[in-house]
Amino acid sequence: DSGVTQTPKHLITATGQRVTLRCSPRSGDLSVYWYQQSLDQGLQFLIQYYNGEERAKGNILERFSAQQFPDLHSELNLSSLELGDSALYFCASSVVGSYGYTFGSGTRLTVV
Amino acid sequence: SQQGEEDPQALSIQEGENATMNCSYKTSINNLQWYRQNSGRGLVHLILIRSNEREKHSGRLRVTLDTSKKSSSLLITASRAADTASYFCATGGMNRDDKIIFGKGTRLHILP
């Protein structure tokens, strides 16, 4: 157990639907990062939050949004889902200046 | 966009042999990190090397960094079957606003 908790582990949904992925960071970590991993695109950075504020944005589609709550957990919302959104979605957390990032075990999203 | 690029994309070696993976990156960095990912699982942080360091060891892992060539290498000595995984280099991540950018990884397969 890495200390970063992601739920659900697996999600199967239909095109056009909306889903919410949840991440609880490791205790004490203020930063949360979301990544998307697909076979053809590798591991793509989506978005970063630090202590409730958005800090950096990567290749995140307009159909996707995220937030970090006062208790530091984060949610990634994916809407108007397309087949190409099928991927593993990872959350990672870190303390500023720490040695590396701690990843959750991911949510496998399948859009059918 | 990818910052790091690993080479080779895939590597198969006999158990007991050494495995070397390389990473090249494009822009100036504060640090470079290596991660391991077992199939379908989350990434595990292996080692971080700072931009002012040239070599670092951790158990059977040896990482080198050449900032003049913008490259790094990861050496796994005396490989074991359990080392079978994908290995990613990642750059950045020491400052509050930094996110880490991953390469596409090297798939390492240890043959019995």
Side-chain angles (χ1 to χ4, degrees):
Chain A
D1 182 10
S2 68
V4 177
T5 304
Q6 287 189 250
T7 56
K9 292 192 185 307
H10 302 277
L11 199 49
I12 301 175
T13 190
T15 54
Q17 294 298 304
R18 172 189 168 95
V19 297
T20 297
L21 312 184
R22 183 188 167 104
C23 170
S24 293
R26 199 177 52 170
S27 178
D29 288 358
L30 300 179
S31 277
V32 169
Y33 308 77
W34 286 97
Y35 288 83
Q36 178 194 56
Q37 187 178 36
S38 58
L39 282 174
D40 56 343
Q41 292 294 318
L43 207 65
Q44 296 286 322
F45 169 72
L46 295 178
I47 197 163
Q48 175 199 358
Y49 281 86
Y50 176 82
N51 203 20
E53 294 182 6
E54 182 185 303
R55 282 296 178 180
K57 231 172 184 176
N59 302 322
I60 186 165
L61 300 173
E62 285 191 9
R63 300 183 285 109
F64 296 0
S65 65
Q67 54 185 326
Q68 186 179 28
F69 295 87
D71 67 352
L72 300 178
H73 92 270
S74 178
E75 293 181 355
L76 179 66
N77 301 295
L78 315 175
S79 61
S80 303
L81 285 167
E82 302 175 358
L83 296 177
D85 298 327
S86 295
L88 268 168
Y89 290 85
F90 287 105
C91 161
S93 72
S94 74
V95 174
V96 172
S98 69
Y99 293 100
Y101 293 63
T102 304
F103 278 78
S105 55
T107 293
R108 182 176 293 279
L109 174 66
T110 303
V111 182
V112 297
Chain B
S1 61
Q2 241 68 34
Q3 160 73 309
E5 191 169 317
E6 292 89 345
D7 169 59
Q9 290 187 342
L11 179 62
S12 292
I13 61 170
Q14 293 292 138
E15 192 169 11
E17 294 181 341
N18 297 341
T20 300
M21 289 157 273
N22 302 298
C23 169
S24 59
Y25 57 91
K26 298 172 185 173
T27 62
S28 296
I29 60 171
N30 290 323
N31 68 84
L32 188 141
Q33 304 172 38
W34 285 90
Y35 288 78
R36 183 187 73 229
Q37 183 183 32
N38 292 92
S39 180
R41 309 288 292 273
L43 282 79
V44 174
H45 179 258
L46 294 177
I47 195 167
L48 177 150
I49 186 166
R50 299 180 191 274
S51 58
N52 61 354
E53 297 176 310
R54 291 297 167 258
E55 187 170 313
K56 203 160 184 180
H57 297 254
S58 176
R60 294 184 297 112
L61 306 180
R62 172 178 169 253
V63 169
T64 62
L65 179 65
D66 187 336
T67 53
S68 67
K69 295 181 180 178
K70 293 187 168 56
S71 67
S72 173
S73 67
L74 171 67
L75 169 68
I76 303 175
T77 59
S79 63
R80 305 168 182 170
D83 295 328
T84 294
S86 291
Y87 292 82
F88 296 85
C89 69
T91 55
M94 289 303 290
N95 298 315
R96 193 171 64 184
D97 293 338
D98 280 355
K99 69 270 188 187
I100 50 174
I101 304 296
F102 289 85
K104 289 196 172 183
T106 292
R107 293 186 308 279
L108 176 64
H109 186 206
I110 307 300
L111 303 168

